[in-house]
């Protein structure tokens, strides 16, 4: 059974999953190639489904900390 880490991107602070067997991972948000050993590991799990669940919770916590709902709302309005 392999570990799945919840990592934080050094460049954009985005959260994503990576297998412990991987040495590098490209950030899905900013495209930066990251060395997993140098990334901040927020959590880990032996179960990939549990890991994605933890990731989801961490993301919602991170979102509420950003406090930018108004800006998001405005940019959506402009597109439509
Ligand atoms: Zn990133």
């Amino acid at each position: 059974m392999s570990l799945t880490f919840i990592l934080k991107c050094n460049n954009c602070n985005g959260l994503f999953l990576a297998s412990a067997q991987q040495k590098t991972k490209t950030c899905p948000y900013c495209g930066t190639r990251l060395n997993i050993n140098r990334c901040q590991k927020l959590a880990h799990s032996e179960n990939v489904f549990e890991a994605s669940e933890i990731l989801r919770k961490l993301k919602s916590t991170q979102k509420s900390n950003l406090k930018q709902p108004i800006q998001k709302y405005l940019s959506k309005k402009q597109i439509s």
Side-chain angles (χ1 to χ4, degrees):
M1 174 97 47
S2 67
L3 273 178
T4 300
F5 289 114
I6 293 97
L7 299 176
K8 188 175 184 178
C9 174
N10 294 331
N11 188 46
C12 71
N13 291 336
L15 305 178
F16 56 92
L17 299 177
S19 164
Q21 290 152 328
Q22 293 177 284
K23 285 181 180 169
T24 60
K25 177 93 183 175
T26 303
C27 172
Y29 306 102
C30 67
T32 303
R33 196 149 177 86
L34 298 154
N35 185 327
I36 285 177
N37 289 324
R38 290 186 182 176
C39 279
Q40 191 184 341
K41 296 177 185 72
L42 298 179
H44 67 268
S45 174
E46 288 185 0
N47 183 320
V48 71
F49 297 105
E50 191 184 79
S52 60
E53 194 65 15
I54 296 167
L55 176 68
R56 204 168 57 82
K57 281 176 188 166
L58 287 171
K59 272 185 182 173
S60 63
T61 311
Q62 196 182 49
K63 252 184 199 169
S64 59
N65 288 339
L66 284 176
K67 290 178 183 169
Q68 289 177 324
I70 297 163
Q71 279 182 5
K72 249 185 187 173
Y73 178 72
L74 284 175
S75 60
K76 266 185 188 171
K77 270 276 181 184
Q78 282 168 354
I79 292 164
S80 63

